[in-house]
């Protein structure tokens, strides 16, 4: 094993200018991440200078077998925390050979919204709180839970410390450092209310970068759990009963909200979000009805409400924002398995572009 580790950790820059680029894309389910690697002649910093590539879309449920070629367009570059050196991770989106975005390419529409002349000057900022659950590989039961049984009730686990309260911290800390290394603006981590459940936060990130960074952070986490022999779940309600679900609370502000008088703009934006509540819920992740029950720090899925410092609301405004009269708000509705391209762009579209 030591020789294997030595080979994995070889520093390519000592012998060659060549680098390895890991191309990442989203598969047909909308949540399955795929990747493959290629050798490039030298370091690349601009995604526009990377070559396009292709893959077999019939094997990812994104194309028929008799016309299976799907083209990858490189969109964002990150440092590779696994191979290190000058090697890179490349977030891509997917197109037909004719240049049209395939149906599962949600980034394309999001990029159009974020490049809209009314959206660009508002500089929409996002901070996404990604919750997830670590599962034991062979039994698909949360890490740290007795197989076929349950731990003690919720209470001691949120931000808890100790072998009987915190399960998987080595994975979480490895992911934290790997994201910092990669250039992702990861802003923190914490243990969650349900044992075996954790959260990391990405942001602030502007526009389309929020989606790129969250997807690559998810990819890095998938790779680390693969190494650790643990299963990663983004199910919004992995365990039924008196256990918290998993969300992806999305914090949001525009330049108008961050400027003096911004609280009035925030209230107008929340009013718009309320008018399109059903459309947003439909796009905020599968299985969210199992999580948004009005219990466990959620609002009921059929009800829209907002409040200051209210974690049982659809939209929460912080006390600091209320006091300052400007700032940001938190959309607490998105599920942990939401697509950040869809959620971030839809919030911008509703609050900036949509005219009721």
């Amino acid at each position: 094993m030591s020789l294997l580790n030595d080979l994995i950790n070889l520093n390519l820059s000592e012998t060659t200018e060549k680098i390895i680029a890991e191309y990442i894309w989203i598969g047909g389910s909308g949540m399955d991440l795929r990747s493959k690697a290629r050798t490039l002649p030298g370091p690349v910093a601009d995604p526009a200078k990377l070559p396009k590539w292709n893959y077999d879309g019939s094997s990812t449920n994104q194309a028929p077998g008799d016309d299976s070629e799907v083209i990858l367009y490189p969109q964002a570059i990150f440092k590779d925390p696994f191979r290190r050196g000058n090697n890179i991770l490349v977030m891509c989106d997917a197109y037909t050979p004719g240049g049209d975005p395939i149906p599962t390419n949600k980034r394309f529409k999001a990029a159009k919204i974020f490049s809209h002349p009314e959206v660009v000057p508002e500089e929409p900022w996002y901070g996404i709180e990604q919750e997830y659950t670590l599962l034991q590989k062979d039994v698909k039961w949360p890490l740290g839970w007795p197989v076929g049984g349950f731990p003690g009730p919720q209470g001691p686990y949120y931000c808890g410390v100790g072998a009987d309260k915190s399960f998987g911290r080595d994975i979480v800390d490895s992911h934290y450092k790997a994201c910092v290394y990669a250039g992702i603006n990861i802003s923190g981590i914490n243990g969650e209310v349900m044992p075996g459940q954790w959260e990391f936060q990405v942001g602030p990130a502007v526009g389309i970068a929020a989606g790129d960074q969250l997807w690559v952070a998810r990819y890095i986490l998938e790779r680390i759990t693969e190494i650790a022999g643990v299963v990663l779940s983004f199910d919004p309600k992995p365990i039924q009963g008196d256990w918290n679900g998993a969300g992806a609370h999305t914090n949001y502000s525009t330049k108008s909200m961050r400027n003096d008088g911004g609280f009035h703009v925030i209230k107008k934006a929340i009013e718009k979000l309320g008018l399109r509540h059903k459309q947003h819920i439909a796009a905020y992740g599968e299985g969210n009805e199992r999580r948004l029950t009005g219990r466990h720090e959620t609002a009921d899925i059929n009800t829209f409400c907002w409040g200051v410092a209210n974690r049982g609301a659809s939209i929460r405004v912080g006390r600091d924002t209320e006091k300052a009269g400007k700032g940001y708000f938190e959309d607490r509705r998105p599920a942990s398995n939401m697509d950040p391209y869809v959620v971030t762009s839809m919030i911008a579209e509703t609050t900036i572009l949509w005219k009721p």
Side-chain angles (χ1 to χ4, degrees):
M1 286 300 291
S2 61
L3 176 58
L4 189 61
N5 285 331
D6 288 345
L7 291 170
I8 288 171
N9 293 318
L10 275 175
N11 184 356
L12 300 182
S13 61
E14 292 177 356
T15 58
T16 180
E17 284 288 309
K18 293 178 179 178
I19 68 160
I20 300 171
E22 190 80 27
Y23 279 44
I24 303 164
W25 71 97
I26 302 159
S29 76
M31 274 303 293
D32 56 319
L33 283 159
R34 311 284 179 133
S35 74
K36 60 178 183 172
R38 65 183 299 166
T39 307
L40 299 175
V44 182
D46 180 359
K49 294 182 179 177
L50 287 168
K52 294 174 184 174
W53 206 5
N54 64 71
Y55 67 91
D56 171 17
S58 69
S59 296
T60 61
N61 293 316
Q62 291 172 299
D66 59 354
D67 187 15
S68 64
E69 191 168 282
V70 179
I71 312 301
L72 292 171
Y73 286 32
Q75 299 292 358
I77 292 175
F78 300 86
K79 292 177 69 176
D80 186 339
F82 303 103
R83 296 188 177 104
R84 287 170 282 187
N86 292 321
N87 304 301
I88 55 176
L89 303 176
V90 183
M91 189 65 207
C92 305
D93 59 354
Y95 296 79
T96 67
D100 297 317
I102 65 172
T104 53
N105 179 353
K106 306 303 183 186
R107 190 187 190 280
F108 179 80
K109 181 183 176 184
K112 286 182 71 174
I113 290 170
F114 285 123
S115 62
H116 191 283
E118 291 180 49
V119 175
V120 172
E122 284 290 350
E123 294 177 15
W125 289 4
Y126 297 91
I128 302 172
E129 306 169 29
Q130 176 69 71
E131 294 177 341
Y132 60 93
T133 308
L134 299 174
L135 305 177
Q136 301 168 57
K137 183 179 178 183
D138 295 326
V139 293
K140 302 291 177 68
W141 199 239
L143 203 64
W145 290 37
V147 176
F150 296 88
Q154 295 183 153
Y157 310 109
Y158 172 69
C159 298
V161 178
D164 58 343
K165 304 177 194 72
S166 177
F167 312 108
R169 191 183 295 276
D170 53 347
I171 291 170
V172 174
D173 278 349
S174 298
H175 176 248
Y176 195 175
K177 287 187 174 181
C179 285
V180 172
Y181 177 93
I184 293 166
N185 196 24
I186 185 169
S187 48
I189 55 99
N190 61 267
E192 268 303 330
V193 177
M194 189 184 86
Q197 191 181 86
W198 293 83
E199 173 184 302
F200 66 89
Q201 303 95 32
V202 168
V206 180
I208 199 71
D212 289 338
Q213 291 190 29
L214 190 74
W215 273 117
V216 175
R218 284 174 170 177
Y219 172 83
I220 292 171
L221 185 55
E222 286 273 21
R223 288 280 303 274
I224 290 170
T225 53
E226 173 190 318
I227 294 165
V230 170
V231 174
L232 173 63
S233 172
F234 290 111
D235 190 300
K237 187 71 173 179
I239 304 295
Q240 295 303 306
D242 195 16
W243 304 98
N244 274 37
H249 302 156
T250 302
N251 299 276
Y252 170 71
S253 70
T254 62
K255 183 178 279 188
S256 298
M257 295 175 191
R258 298 187 292 269
N259 289 340
D260 290 343
F263 197 53
H264 175 72
V265 181
I266 287 171
K267 287 192 284 188
K268 285 286 188 185
I270 292 172
E271 185 181 325
K272 284 183 169 185
L273 288 169
L275 293 172
R276 297 192 76 200
H277 177 64
K278 287 184 178 179
Q279 293 93 321
H280 279 255
I281 287 294
Y284 273 16
E286 289 188 24
N288 213 7
E289 71 283 349
R290 293 182 282 118
R291 167 181 163 261
L292 296 181
T293 61
R295 299 182 64 216
H296 304 110
E297 302 180 59
T298 69
D300 182 84
I301 194 167
N302 297 310
T303 305
F304 181 88
C305 60
W306 74 278
V308 176
N310 182 0
R311 282 182 159 76
S314 312
I315 306 288
R316 181 183 70 88
V317 176
R319 292 233 178 263
D320 288 348
T321 294
E322 181 189 41
K323 185 177 179 180
K326 59 184 177 182
Y328 71 97
F329 64 81
E330 174 192 44
D331 191 339
R332 298 179 60 81
R333 297 170 296 172
S336 50
N337 59 1
M338 62 82 156
D339 186 328
Y341 293 135
V342 173
V343 169
T344 57
S345 62
M346 193 173 193
I347 292 172
E349 183 181 38
T350 295
T351 60
I352 301 171
L353 300 178
W354 185 58
K355 308 293 190 272

